[in-house]
Amino acid sequence: MSHITRRVLMGAAGAALAAPAVRAQGAAIRIVVPFAPGGSTDAVARLVAPGLTQRLGAPVVVDNRAGAAGSIGTDAVAKARPDGQTWLLTFDSHATLKALLPQLPFDPDRDLDPVMLIGGAPYVLACKPDKPFRSITDVVSRAKAQPDGVSYGSTGNGTIGHLTMVLLQGRTDTRMTHLPYRSGGLAVNDTVAGHVDMMIGSAAVVHPHARSGTLRTFAQFGPQRLPALSDLPTVAEAGIPGLEAEAWWGVFAPHGTPQDAVARMNAALKESLQDPNVRRTMEDTQQARLVMSDPAGLATFLQREVAKWGAVVRENNIRAD
């Protein structure tokens, strides 16, 4: 059992006693998003912020602190006072931080406490409609004929989207050119503009553009087809089994945040996500599969993700920008 899981299961009564007092009623609550505006993580944070404001009785502000694969914003939370006023809402790349950045100025296991696994959405491949790709087979064929001649965008080096493409190239014996961006929104913009041949991103960030016709999706990495993308085959159906990747969003607190504050945030998040309008946006617009776990559920899930994707980082000697 990992350090983080033991801590969740045993509780943190001593830390609660030693921690500063829980925020004063009405004091502003900060949700740090360690990525630029426009991506799915930013969208999720801004979607739940009004409900959290209502349920927690204090203004909730979203603070975007992008850079270094999400480590800059995450570091700010890891070093924040554990007083219930600062929280981290981050993306799946959190699972690769220790492998990707061995000299991190913080320890994700030691310095952050899990709060909730919000949910996830499968990664999809998309391109501008005038590009020639209509299936994963088209991409592989073009990449075999023109090594490094096919470019793809992701939300950054070491993100799950990038690592998924690394695995795809290994499985198909191809080489493609990776263009890392600081957020899903920036990757979408350049893909729509045709500056990059295709992008890999969560269905949450890609689907609205596919629905409007500015992007065409042609493969999904989930275990089964999404209802809203029922005509879009999975990569396994296209002949590459065992290559699954889902984006996810999780909430963390500075280590030592009182357990009653963590429980209150978890409950407020759950109530906010269950609001019919918010849930409809998450499930229909962003194609998210809601989980809304307790803290222990996020800790267990994170262990699996760290083991799976950390190995890809190390085996391919991948480093952050």
Side-chain angles (χ1 to χ4, degrees):
M1 185 178 294
S2 74
H3 171 67
I4 193 170
T5 304
R6 285 198 304 271
R7 186 170 68 240
V8 171
L9 296 178
M10 293 175 63
L17 291 174
V22 180
R23 63 173 180 82
Q25 183 70 17
I29 297 169
R30 182 172 59 131
I31 296 181
V32 175
V33 171
F35 303 100
S40 65
T41 312
D42 178 68
V44 171
R46 296 182 188 280
L47 185 63
V48 299
L52 293 178
T53 294
Q54 175 185 353
R55 291 168 175 84
L56 296 174
V60 173
V61 297
V62 177
D63 181 4
N64 296 89
R65 294 202 178 191
S71 66
I72 291 176
T74 303
D75 181 51
V77 176
K79 294 176 178 174
R81 294 180 62 193
D83 56 6
Q85 289 180 242
T86 303
W87 307 83
L88 175 72
L89 199 162
T90 191
F91 198 47
D92 51 40
S93 57
H94 186 80
T96 68
L97 283 179
K98 289 181 75 170
L100 188 65
L101 299 165
Q103 304 302 316
L104 278 174
F106 64 95
D107 185 321
D109 287 350
R110 183 192 63 221
D111 298 332
L112 294 166
D113 292 345
V115 178
M116 173 185 280
L117 172 62
I118 291 176
Y123 273 94
V124 299
L125 287 173
C127 63
K128 189 178 179 182
D130 63 2
K131 294 291 183 179
F133 309 121
R134 294 185 176 276
S135 70
I136 193 72
T137 303
D138 292 340
V139 172
V140 172
S141 297
R142 176 67 66 89
K144 282 183 176 293
Q146 301 176 17
D148 297 318
V150 176
S151 61
Y152 70 93
S154 80
T155 53
N157 276 340
T159 56
I160 304 304
H162 174 215
L163 300 182
T164 301
M165 293 301 289
V166 169
L167 290 177
L168 174 64
Q169 291 167 85
R171 293 282 299 275
T172 58
D173 192 26
T174 55
R175 295 201 318 268
M176 305 180 205
T177 299
H178 177 219
L179 299 176
Y181 292 85
R182 295 179 66 192
S183 75
L186 295 174
V188 165
N189 290 343
D190 266 14
T191 307
V192 169
H195 300 319
V196 60
D197 290 328
M198 61 181 178
M199 69 168 287
I200 182 166
S202 73
V205 73
V206 171
H207 178 60
H209 302 276
R211 186 172 54 190
S212 70
T214 56
L215 287 178
R216 179 175 66 238
T217 54
F218 57 89
Q220 54 184 311
F221 288 88
Q224 62 272 327
R225 297 190 185 197
L226 283 175
L229 300 173
S230 58
D231 294 334
L232 187 65
T234 66
V235 173
E237 289 177 307
I240 309 174
L243 184 54
E244 295 180 2
E246 287 194 287
W248 56 268
W249 307 274
V251 178
F252 296 83
H255 175 50
T257 299
Q259 291 300 292
D260 62 341
V262 170
R264 184 165 57 249
M265 175 58 81
N266 184 282
L269 280 164
K270 187 171 295 184
E271 290 176 8
S272 298
L273 289 162
Q274 288 175 333
D275 175 272
N277 291 330
V278 173
R279 186 165 196 136
R280 185 178 307 112
T281 300
M282 289 292 293
E283 294 181 340
D284 296 344
T285 302
Q286 302 211 52
Q287 294 301 295
R289 175 182 57 86
L290 289 175
V291 177
M292 298 180 288
S293 77
D294 60 14
L298 173 54
T300 300
F301 172 82
L302 183 60
Q303 277 186 286
R304 294 196 300 266
E305 290 290 289
V306 168
K308 175 181 177 179
W309 297 110
V312 180
V313 170
R314 291 186 294 270
E315 290 167 6
N316 291 277
N317 196 30
I318 294 171
R319 289 291 176 264
D321 297 325

